């Protein structure tokens, strides 16, 4: 009965998707990452993996037109993402357009350096972004709208120190943490920051700005991760200010995992509060009956809102929601600790 109730909930959600004149934008941290390169592709192709099946069920029920994914391993040819897209197509959710640029996760710096200040080198935290191998836990974009590939802007190579107003970590005596050599090569993006232009059916474009910020924990008193998370979120407002090149033209949607709740948990909450309060965009405040605005449930830390879909101010939002499980065996509970978040916008 619990499984039936959960399935009925997903069917109700799907019934509201794909309505004429609307576009559903979603973000979902699938947590599909595996412990080694090629293992995700192996699991998808072999079949029978309950988490992968649950991810496919959640996405195919929600039927987003544009889906920002996090927590999916990257490979050079995009084979894992293509295999996942194949399963989705079989389930009735086809995405002919895919973006899978190389992320910073698992990407080594130009020289062997102690990037996290623990006195050792060569560990997963000594890469540009945490990762045991290149591309572990990357991001991707699936779309039913054509992608203007020539217009894609990838900010992932931006050095942290080059971000205007960067809050770089320091030792207690004011020296750069962990070293000046590290800060000369340290990129800002823990995973990636992309602006992806999509071609709208009636002409014009929709700019999707997507990212996955570092968690503001797992560090020391220097608050390296908390400061990095703050600046990763600030990047979008600086881009809209014109301080990182050309200002993106509206309409746009920011969709991704900020890893920061405006009220609960650790982190520099002014960053997400300032973004949510920026008059150039709007916060639909997606809800679920089970958990309100929460989008993740972490053991010990509890429920928080860390995943966001934020349309630009001129867009008309016709609906929004969070796919939260109402039973332990529901697909959304098996798929990930994070929940799929969606917003419908009107196409004028």
């Amino acid at each position: 009965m619990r499984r039936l109730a959960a399935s009925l909930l997903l069917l109700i959600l799907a019934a509201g998707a794909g309505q004429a004149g609307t576009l559903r934008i979603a973000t979902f941290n699938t947590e599909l990452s595996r412990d080694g390169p090629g293992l995700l592709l192996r699991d998808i192709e072999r079949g029978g993996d309950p988490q992968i099946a649950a991810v496919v069920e959640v996405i195919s029920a929600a039927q987003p037109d544009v889906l920002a994914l996090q927590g999916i391993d990257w490979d050079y040819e995009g084979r894992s993402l293509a295999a996942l897209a194949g399963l989705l197509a079989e389930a009735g959710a086809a995405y002919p357009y895919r973006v899978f640029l190389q992320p910073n996760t698992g990407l080594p710096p130009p020289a062997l350096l102690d990037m996290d200040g623990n006195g050792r080198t060569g560990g997963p935290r000594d890469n540009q972004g945490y990762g045991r191998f290149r591309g572990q836990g990357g991001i991707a974009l699936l779309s039913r709208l054509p992608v203007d590939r020539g217009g894609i802007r990838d900010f992932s190579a931006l050095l942290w120190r080059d971000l205007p107003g960067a809050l770089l970590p320091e030792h207690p005596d004011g020296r750069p943490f962990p070293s000046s050599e590290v800060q000369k090569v340290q990129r800002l993006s823990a995973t990636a920051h992309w602006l992806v232009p999509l071609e709208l059916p009636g002409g014009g474009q929709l700019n999707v700005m997507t990212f996955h910020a570092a968690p503001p924990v797992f560090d020391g008193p220097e608050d390296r991760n908390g400061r990095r998370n703050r600046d990763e979120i600030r990047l979008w407002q600086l881009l809209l200010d014109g301080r990182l090149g050309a200002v993106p033209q509206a309409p746009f949607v920011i969709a991704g995992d900020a890893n920061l709740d405006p009220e609960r948990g650790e982190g520099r909450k002014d960053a997400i509060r300032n973004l949510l309060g920026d008059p150039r965009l709007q916060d639909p405040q997606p809800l679920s009956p089970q958990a309100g605005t929460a989008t993740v449930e972490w053991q010990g830390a509890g429920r928080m809102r860390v995943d966001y879909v934020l349309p630009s101010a001129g867009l008309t939002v016709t609906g929004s929601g969070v796919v939260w499980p109402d039973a332990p065996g529901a697909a959304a509970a098996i798929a990930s600790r994070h929940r799929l978040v969606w917003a419908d916008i009107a196409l004028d």
Side-chain angles (χ1 to χ4, degrees):
M1 290 298 293
R2 286 182 176 179
R3 182 69 176 180
L4 176 61
S7 298
L8 288 173
L9 177 63
L10 289 174
L11 286 173
I12 293 169
L13 176 64
Q19 296 182 13
T22 65
L23 191 67
R24 177 162 291 181
I25 314 293
T27 188
F28 189 18
N29 184 341
T30 62
E31 296 190 307
L32 282 176
S33 181
R34 298 298 189 254
D35 290 335
L39 297 184
L40 176 59
L41 178 61
R42 178 205 64 185
D43 291 348
I44 294 173
E45 292 182 337
R46 186 163 57 186
D49 187 293
Q51 185 204 7
I52 293 170
V55 166
V56 170
E57 182 177 343
V58 170
I59 295 171
S60 60
Q63 289 287 329
D65 298 293
V66 180
L67 176 60
L69 293 175
Q70 303 89 43
I72 181 167
D73 294 338
W74 171 90
D75 58 79
Y76 283 99
E77 297 177 343
R79 294 177 62 191
S80 295
L81 183 62
L84 178 64
L87 293 182
L88 288 168
E90 292 175 4
Y95 295 98
Y97 306 101
R98 301 186 289 271
V99 179
F100 55 95
L101 309 178
Q102 184 174 8
N104 286 336
T105 52
L107 180 68
L112 193 63
L113 294 169
D114 176 14
M115 299 290 282
D116 63 348
N118 68 351
R120 298 185 296 273
T121 60
R125 290 187 173 86
D126 293 314
N127 293 312
Q128 291 288 3
Y130 179 90
R132 298 180 182 89
F133 57 90
R134 289 190 185 222
Q136 183 179 26
I139 67 174
L141 191 75
L142 298 176
S143 176
R144 292 172 177 161
L145 301 178
V147 175
D148 174 10
R149 296 193 177 275
I152 293 176
R153 298 169 67 183
D154 184 359
F155 299 95
S156 306
L158 176 70
L159 295 181
W160 187 356
R161 69 175 186 171
D162 290 342
L163 186 82
L167 190 63
L168 295 168
E170 298 178 342
H171 288 281
D173 61 5
R175 290 179 296 113
F177 180 93
S179 67
S180 59
E181 290 76 18
V182 165
Q183 291 194 3
K184 289 176 183 178
V185 300
Q186 177 67 72
R187 296 181 176 189
L188 170 65
S189 301
T191 307
H193 284 79
W194 305 339
L195 182 150
V196 181
L198 304 177
E199 304 292 345
L200 292 171
Q205 290 186 330
L206 174 71
N207 288 311
V208 177
M209 293 136 71
T210 186
F211 73 128
H212 184 187
V217 290
F218 311 123
D219 55 13
E222 81 288 340
D223 195 27
R224 174 178 181 260
N225 293 339
R227 292 172 180 235
R228 189 178 191 179
N229 173 275
R230 176 252 194 191
D231 281 346
E232 287 189 90
I233 295 170
R234 285 182 59 246
L235 179 144
W236 298 124
Q237 288 176 286
L238 292 170
L239 180 62
L240 295 175
D241 290 341
R243 303 183 69 185
L244 295 174
V247 177
Q249 297 301 305
F252 65 82
V253 177
I254 299 173
D257 183 352
N259 253 321
L260 190 62
D261 185 292
E263 303 296 337
R264 293 164 287 183
E266 298 185 39
R268 296 176 177 262
K269 304 190 181 305
D270 59 309
I272 194 64
R273 290 172 183 168
N274 289 339
L275 183 65
L276 295 176
D278 193 308
R280 294 169 293 190
L281 52 84
Q282 55 185 309
D283 179 10
Q285 296 188 333
L287 301 171
S288 71
Q290 300 87 353
T293 60
T295 68
V296 69
E297 186 165 22
W298 284 311
Q299 187 175 4
R303 297 176 174 179
M304 295 186 191
R305 184 188 185 196
V306 301
D307 307 275
Y308 299 89
V309 177
L310 305 172
S312 55
L315 291 170
T316 300
V317 178
T318 60
S320 64
V322 181
V323 181
W324 198 275
D326 43 359
I334 299 170
S336 173
R337 294 171 297 174
H338 291 257
R339 312 306 178 205
L340 185 145
V341 181
W342 58 273
D344 290 345
I345 57 177
L347 293 174
D348 297 328

